[in-house]
Amino acid sequence: MIRSPDPELDLTMARIIKAPRATVWRAWSDPTRLERWWVPEPARCKVIDMDLRPGGSFVTRISEGGGAFVPHIDACFLAVDELSRIVFTDTLVAGWRPAENAFMTAIITLSDHPAGTEYAAHVMHRSGADRKMHEEMGFHDGWGTVAGQLARFVEQTH
Amino acid sequence: MIRSPDPELDLTMARIIKAPRATVWRAWSDPTRLERWWVPEPARCKVIDMDLRPGGSFVTRISEGGGAFVPHIDACFLAVDELSRIVFTDTLVAGWRPAENAFMTAIITLSDHPAGTEYAAHVMHRSGADRKMHEEMGFHDGWGTVAGQLARFVEQTH
């Protein structure tokens, strides 16, 4: 199910990462690695639950300014294609149960690129209003920033 | 991802159907067959879209009392395990996009039974209030009635 982004409803970002796909995949799929780049620094991230298969739980928390860890993502994986694609949504929680606070579905794709890996996120909303809210909340800064952190993390360590 | 139903949040039904699993599966997965039993008679059903794979669209319409066909289900398939399980949700629409009107996820399972097939539905809600609303809307009559129609349809035709 690859569909073109709908400019009225979706937000997208992409970045070239100078590391092989397998390295980027590992930085995403291993909770201790994901914690290193998943929230914008200097905030810190904890992965509470990460069951990387369709219907599996995906729960992260964030600590900002040294404060307590508070809810960040409470979502459900929808599709997991080794080395190439991860789809998750916060409209569902573990076991595909409908969520209280539903907002988006994200399709993350990794593809080969002459310089390493093209990392892309396609984030879908139910309405133009939700898309606009996400944009105003800082989608481009937020997702762009953490993709930059991911790039630095894997470019240093692989 | 098989989880036990949560009695606070879920509704379930099950029925023995005197036909092989393959026959029941065909009655579910073939749109022209699904239309024969998917809504309580004498209402009529039209399958508008049925792309039976994860992320695929599932859209049906209903006509009651001879009136126009109106929206019935607008959902997205989440998991499709040939001959044994279909998971769909109306919290998402085609391509996993968040839906405007989110309510439930349904897990349909077919299992072997000495008399033929055990047909079961496990319907998950986000809250006890949604579960109660679904029960009061006639879950047991509705899902029970159409499972009975499914049974009669496949028991006659297989």
Side-chain angles (χ1 to χ4, degrees):
Chain A
M1 292 305 305
I2 302 281
R3 283 166 187 261
S4 300
D6 178 336
E8 302 292 323
L9 297 174
D10 300 350
L11 293 166
T12 61
M13 57 85 37
R15 182 186 174 107
I16 307 305
I17 297 179
K18 291 176 192 140
R21 274 205 290 160
T23 307
V24 180
W25 181 263
R26 196 163 59 239
W28 223 112
S29 58
D30 170 11
T32 61
R33 288 182 168 84
L34 185 73
E35 289 178 345
R36 299 283 298 275
W37 63 269
W38 182 238
V39 305
E41 294 167 358
R44 289 186 304 143
C45 172
K46 263 190 194 165
V47 174
I48 302 302
D49 208 0
M50 186 166 182
D51 183 11
L52 199 63
R53 55 179 170 156
S57 181
F58 181 38
V59 181
T60 63
R61 291 196 186 146
I62 188 168
S63 159
E64 293 179 287
F69 281 89
V70 298
H72 176 235
I73 299 272
D74 192 353
C76 180
F77 291 112
L78 296 172
V80 178
D81 302 322
E82 186 85 9
L83 300 180
S84 66
R85 188 176 65 156
I86 293 172
V87 184
F88 68 92
T89 188
D90 67 4
T91 66
L92 301 169
V93 295
W96 296 301
R97 180 178 301 284
E100 285 285 355
N101 298 304
F103 186 60
M104 63 166 185
T105 296
I107 303 182
I108 308 292
T109 49
L110 311 185
S111 23
D112 287 329
H113 183 274
T117 300
E118 182 176 349
Y119 179 79
H122 169 192
V123 180
M124 295 183 284
H125 307 89
R126 82 190 63 199
S127 64
D130 276 9
R131 175 199 180 281
K132 188 155 176 275
M133 191 202 305
H134 201 177
E135 194 164 34
E136 288 170 356
M137 281 163 59
F139 170 82
H140 294 288
D141 274 358
W143 287 68
T145 295
V146 304
Q149 294 177 177
L150 167 61
R152 281 194 300 282
F153 176 57
V154 298
E155 289 167 5
Q156 283 161 9
T157 58
H158 84 92
Chain B
M1 293 303 305
I2 301 282
R3 284 168 186 258
S4 301
D6 178 336
E8 302 293 322
L9 298 175
D10 300 349
L11 293 166
T12 60
M13 59 82 39
R15 179 184 178 112
I16 307 304
I17 297 180
K18 292 177 191 139
R21 274 206 290 160
T23 307
V24 180
W25 181 264
R26 196 162 58 239
W28 223 112
S29 58
D30 170 11
T32 61
R33 288 182 167 85
L34 185 73
E35 289 178 342
R36 298 284 299 273
W37 63 269
W38 182 238
V39 303
E41 293 166 0
R44 289 184 307 141
C45 172
K46 263 190 196 166
V47 174
I48 303 301
D49 208 0
M50 186 166 184
D51 182 11
L52 198 65
R53 55 180 170 158
S57 179
F58 181 38
V59 180
T60 62
R61 291 197 186 147
I62 187 169
S63 159
E64 294 179 287
F69 280 89
V70 297
H72 176 237
I73 300 270
D74 192 353
C76 179
F77 291 111
L78 297 171
V80 178
D81 302 323
E82 185 85 12
L83 299 180
S84 66
R85 186 175 67 155
I86 293 171
V87 184
F88 68 92
T89 188
D90 67 6
T91 66
L92 301 169
V93 294
W96 296 300
R97 178 178 302 283
E100 285 284 355
N101 298 303
F103 187 61
M104 65 165 185
T105 296
I107 301 181
I108 307 293
T109 49
L110 311 186
S111 22
D112 287 329
H113 183 276
T117 300
E118 182 176 348
Y119 179 80
H122 169 193
V123 180
M124 296 184 284
H125 307 89
R126 82 189 64 198
S127 65
D130 276 9
R131 176 197 179 281
K132 188 157 176 276
M133 190 205 303
H134 202 176
E135 193 164 35
E136 288 170 356
M137 279 162 57
F139 171 82
H140 294 289
D141 274 359
W143 287 68
T145 296
V146 303
Q149 294 177 178
L150 167 61
R152 280 195 301 283
F153 176 56
V154 297
E155 289 166 6
Q156 284 162 8
T157 57
H158 86 92

